[in-house]
Amino acid sequence: MNSDLSNRVALVTGASRGLGAAIAVELGRRGARVAVNYFGSADKAGRVVEEIRAAGGEAAAFGADVRDEAQVARLIADVEGRFGLIDVLVLNATGPQPMIKLDDLTWRACLDQLEFFVKSPVLLVKAVMGQMKRRRFGRIINIGSEVFGRGVPEFSNYVSAKGAQHGLTRSWAMELAPWQITVNTVAPGWIPTERHAGDSQESKDAYAAAVPMRRMGLAQEVAATVAFLASDGAGFLTGQNLAVNGGNTLG
Ligand SMILES: NC(=O)c1ccc[n+]([C@@H]2O[C@H](COP(=O)([O-])OP(=O)(O)OC[C@H]3O[C@@H](n4cnc5c(N)ncnc54)[C@H](OP(=O)(O)O)[C@@H]3O)[C@@H](O)[C@H]2O)c1
């Protein structure tokens, strides 16, 4: 096991599948004690925990709706009771992401996305920042998306919320910098997860053909970037948007 995150405690929201699961596994492989948050899929979260333990790591699953203030408070208390104070917070959870034409767009549809990408980060960061400030250490990592850099038609509900999430990164990075707490966004390109099972091979091929590296990314490539940001070596890197998308958007 690589041990660059040993003695660190990490909470990854929405880690029962997809990118969150890959991030949790990678942080565990590097020695962090990992809290695997899930919403509905206790069984899948359990399998992620097993994978981390099988590789010699330490992990446990914690069910909570990260949009709910009381559940977030309980989640943080449960994680800290089990593993100790949280050093690394990865804000990854997402619900359904429907594409909606402007004609059909409603405020409710926008709020559905903002609950994941603004409300939940606000609740979680407020719950951990006190102890991070006291200890003068913290790594907050927002999982954003390349869609904000690209702009995508008929998706403004999601694109605008991802833009707002990066706005949190930018402001919080400056606000928390005096305490040596870093806040960054990792913005993946399209990386097929379970949620994309219904998407056609044609649409995936067309996307990949337009990426400068001519391929889609891997969940492990996002996870490795998150693990780097969580490490001691990234201590002077804050307020940034790291696109993991084969050059599809440029900094
Ligand atoms: N995959 C991509 O192509 C891509 C590209 C750019 C950005 N992203 C971003 O990457 C992140 C992960 O995306 P993904 O594709 O890996 O998603 P995913 O496979 O659909 O997984 C979503 C995760 O969020 C959890 N979740 C859902 N509602 C929740 C709630 N209320 N409270 C706590 N957890 C909840 C799910 O848990 P249960 O299964 O337990 O319900 C699941 O673990 C998102 O922020 C997404 O916007 C993804």
Side-chain angles (χ1 to χ4, degrees):
M1 188 197 287
N2 180 333
S3 61
D4 63 342
L5 294 179
S6 61
N7 298 321
R8 298 290 180 211
V9 175
L11 166 59
V12 185
T13 69
S16 54
R17 57 192 160 92
L19 303 186
I23 292 165
V25 167
E26 181 61 18
L27 297 180
R29 195 182 68 79
R30 296 192 188 210
R33 298 193 289 284
V34 186
V36 174
N37 162 247
Y38 65 94
F39 180 50
S41 311
D43 50 340
K44 289 182 184 161
R47 286 201 284 277
V48 174
V49 167
E50 283 316 310
E51 186 177 344
I52 294 169
R53 289 182 183 161
E58 221 181 306
F62 298 85
D65 181 345
V66 293
R67 299 164 298 180
D68 180 272
E69 190 163 1
Q71 292 192 43
V72 165
R74 183 178 47 77
L75 170 67
I76 299 298
D78 288 351
V79 172
E80 295 191 341
R82 172 82 186 246
F83 290 136
L85 297 174
I86 293 166
D87 300 290
V88 179
L89 176 63
V90 184
L91 302 155
N92 168 81
T94 182
Q97 303 167 357
M99 299 207 58
I100 304 174
K101 286 186 182 13
L102 184 50
D103 278 341
D104 302 323
L105 187 63
T106 61
W107 175 230
R108 182 64 250 174
C110 293
L111 267 182
D112 287 344
Q113 301 304 316
L114 291 169
E115 292 212 6
F116 278 99
F117 304 132
V118 176
K119 182 182 180 188
S120 173
V122 168
L123 294 176
L124 283 150
V125 167
K126 287 188 71 170
V128 298
M129 71 175 190
Q131 56 86 358
M132 286 182 173
K133 281 182 172 178
R134 280 195 300 280
R135 296 189 300 139
R136 298 182 68 81
F137 183 90
R139 296 282 191 267
I140 296 166
I141 300 160
N142 267 314
I143 305 303
S145 172
E146 70 167 10
V147 296
F148 182 65
R150 298 179 61 211
V152 179
E154 302 177 5
F155 209 22
S156 56
N157 49 324
Y158 178 75
V159 175
S160 59
K162 283 297 185 189
Q165 188 183 14
H166 187 54
L168 299 177
T169 290
R170 289 168 62 91
S171 283
W172 289 345
M174 293 185 77
E175 202 167 332
L176 297 174
W179 289 273
Q180 311 304 309
I181 299 165
T182 70
V183 190
N184 289 287
T185 297
V186 171
W190 183 11
I191 297 181
T193 59
E194 269 178 55
R195 72 162 60 246
H196 302 106
D199 295 339
S200 69
Q201 193 55 47
E202 218 174 27
S203 60
K204 290 175 187 161
D205 291 346
Y207 174 89
V211 172
M213 286 192 172
R214 303 285 184 267
R215 67 174 177 89
M216 295 179 113
L218 304 171
Q220 291 75 9
E221 290 170 323
V222 174
T225 306
V226 170
F228 166 64
L229 288 173
S231 71
D232 286 358
F236 205 48
L237 198 174
T238 196
Q240 303 304 309
N241 185 31
L242 273 70
V244 182
N245 64 358
N248 219 19
T249 52
L250 301 177

